[in-house]
Amino acid sequence: MGESLMEPRTGTTLPAPGGQRGTEPRQAAGAPGRRGPIGTQGDGGVAPAEGHEAVMLLERARAEVDPVLRAALGSLPGPLRRIALYHFGWERADGSPAEGGSGKAIRPALVLAAAAALGGPEARAGAARAAAAVELVHNFTLLHDDVMDRDATRRHRPTAWTVFGDADAILAGDTLQALALRLLAQDPHPASPAAAARLADCVIELCAGQHADTALERCAPAEVTLDGVLAMAEAKTGALLGSACAIGGLYAGASDGEVEALDAFGREAGLAFQLIDDVIGIWGDPSRTGKPVGADLAARKKSLPVVAAFASGTPAAAELAGLYARPGDEGDLDHIALTVERAGGRDWAQGEAADRMARAMQQLARAVPDPEAAGGLLALAEFVTRRTG
């Protein structure tokens, strides 16, 4: 077990996303009266009862979706199939079988849980191909992101581009996106055309978000706003989680209003997820994340905690801007992380994650008023936003 994330301090004053400076202390995530998203069990983990339900849902989703994914990947031409199977953890670089993990299956689990919430077991069973399509799109983005970000490790093994080269990794990613749309195009379910259109729109939004992210890295700290970074994070992370939930609703025959509420639920939960992911990117345990500690800081990424720190107007914010102005010098990453924390970035990110989860719960209640029916979606959302990396 790795270290748990420290509980956030109270009393930090930061600009709210809309530009207003807060004057009241922000209650710490995990304090009485708020169910915080991170480390509220004291040992940095998920409460056994809550975590168990989500793990069961993820394992069930993986069991239902993996055969569809394996069949789809098996249809690829040999070289591309080899790269894709390596990326999913099912083969080694030499093509021999491997037992590596292919990810948590959060997005396909959301598809299936949303279908079940509004359509029952029959709708869930009919949504397996759609769930696999969403997972293929997710992995398309991972392959491309790893190339663009020059990330050398994912899921505790070398990334595909470090093994096969940039061009082959990009082409494998392109192929996964095409496979996703083919799965939906060949699905006889009446909801498949609407799902394909929504997923295609999502890919465009994902690409726009990635473009904004890369443009952001060329901006000086003073040019970056919380509003802009939150919008980018919604496009990069929230859009696909929202689409996953919405597509599950489509396969359940949900109304337009229910589908849009599911999309909003996924987007808000996605923002909470990204906020926590950014916290883990700075303060996480590499034995659990599979990435080197401080990689985001070494790359001078303007993640949400960092941008919140820039916006704090504190002496630590000015110091952080100076540290970030030296991109070729990694410096003392522990000192940079502490400076982000002193400027309030960690507190803000954890508190904002809790706020986003509250909004997500409101949208979920609109889409699925029956708490028992909504239980699977709630369990998954709490699982991904209570992890500690």
Side-chain angles (χ1 to χ4, degrees):
M1 294 294 290
E3 294 179 355
S4 62
L5 293 181
M6 295 168 58
E7 289 294 321
R9 297 186 301 273
T10 58
T12 302
T13 300
L14 282 169
Q20 298 293 320
R21 286 185 64 86
T23 57
E24 293 297 322
R26 182 187 290 278
Q27 186 180 20
R34 166 181 277 174
R35 297 188 65 192
I38 302 177
T40 57
Q41 271 62 59
D43 62 355
V46 177
E50 293 171 326
H52 179 70
E53 181 182 358
V55 169
M56 294 277 290
L57 288 167
L58 292 169
E59 289 177 349
R60 182 180 173 192
R62 182 58 71 197
E64 294 174 54
V65 170
D66 273 3
V68 183
L69 289 172
R70 286 182 179 272
L73 297 181
S75 72
L76 295 176
L80 291 171
R81 179 173 66 247
R82 180 178 170 189
I83 300 165
L85 289 171
Y86 172 84
H87 168 75
F88 272 85
W90 292 331
E91 284 190 0
R92 299 184 180 89
D94 62 6
S96 61
E99 298 298 327
S102 54
K104 294 183 178 68
I106 291 164
R107 290 153 191 84
L110 286 171
V111 175
L112 298 173
L118 289 170
E122 185 177 349
R124 179 190 176 97
R129 291 172 68 90
V134 169
E135 184 71 345
L136 286 168
V137 164
H138 173 53
N139 281 275
F140 138 70
T141 68
L142 297 183
L143 281 161
H144 284 201
D145 280 356
D146 286 344
V147 173
M148 286 184 276
D149 295 342
R150 311 314 288 170
D151 285 337
T153 306
R154 181 174 294 281
R155 297 167 183 161
H156 305 277
R157 67 199 313 231
T159 46
W161 72 268
T162 68
V163 176
F164 301 100
D166 289 3
D168 282 358
I170 291 168
L171 289 169
D174 293 341
T175 304
L176 295 188
Q177 183 192 167
L179 271 181
L181 295 177
R182 188 173 77 183
L183 275 179
L184 292 174
Q186 294 177 344
D187 189 351
H189 195 285
S192 63
R198 185 172 283 270
L199 195 56
D201 285 342
C202 178
V203 168
I204 294 170
E205 187 174 358
L206 289 168
C207 292
Q210 180 65 19
H211 180 270
D213 192 17
T214 55
L216 184 70
E217 298 310 312
R218 299 190 293 270
C219 295
E223 300 172 327
V224 181
T225 67
L226 274 174
D227 280 344
V229 181
L230 283 167
M232 178 272 294
E234 179 178 348
K236 281 195 63 176
T237 304
L240 189 54
L241 290 178
S243 289
C245 297
I247 286 170
L250 288 172
Y251 271 68
S255 69
D256 291 346
E258 290 167 338
V259 169
E260 294 311 316
L262 285 169
D263 184 89
F265 159 73
R267 284 174 180 270
E268 294 291 357
L271 275 172
F273 177 97
Q274 187 60 57
L275 284 153
I276 294 163
D277 199 60
D278 285 354
V279 169
I280 290 171
I282 299 174
W283 295 282
D285 178 357
S287 70
R288 299 177 67 183
T289 65
K291 292 186 177 184
V293 66
D296 287 355
L297 296 179
R300 299 301 191 264
K301 285 185 177 294
K302 297 181 182 71
S303 62
L304 284 158
V306 169
V307 175
F310 286 148
S312 68
T314 62
E319 181 183 354
L320 181 63
L323 293 168
Y324 257 60
R326 300 197 295 269
D329 176 19
E330 285 193 10
D332 184 344
L333 296 181
D334 288 340
H335 175 66
I336 298 175
L338 180 60
T339 305
V340 175
E341 189 162 5
R342 284 171 41 228
R346 186 173 186 170
D347 285 359
W348 178 88
Q350 291 180 305
E352 183 71 10
D355 292 344
R356 293 291 176 169
M357 272 303 293
R359 298 184 200 183
M361 295 306 100
Q362 292 172 354
Q363 295 295 338
L364 181 58
R366 281 183 55 216
V368 192
D370 179 3
E372 184 175 353
L377 287 167
L378 175 60
L380 290 169
E382 289 196 334
F383 177 81
V384 299
T385 56
R386 293 169 73 88
R387 67 206 175 96
T388 61

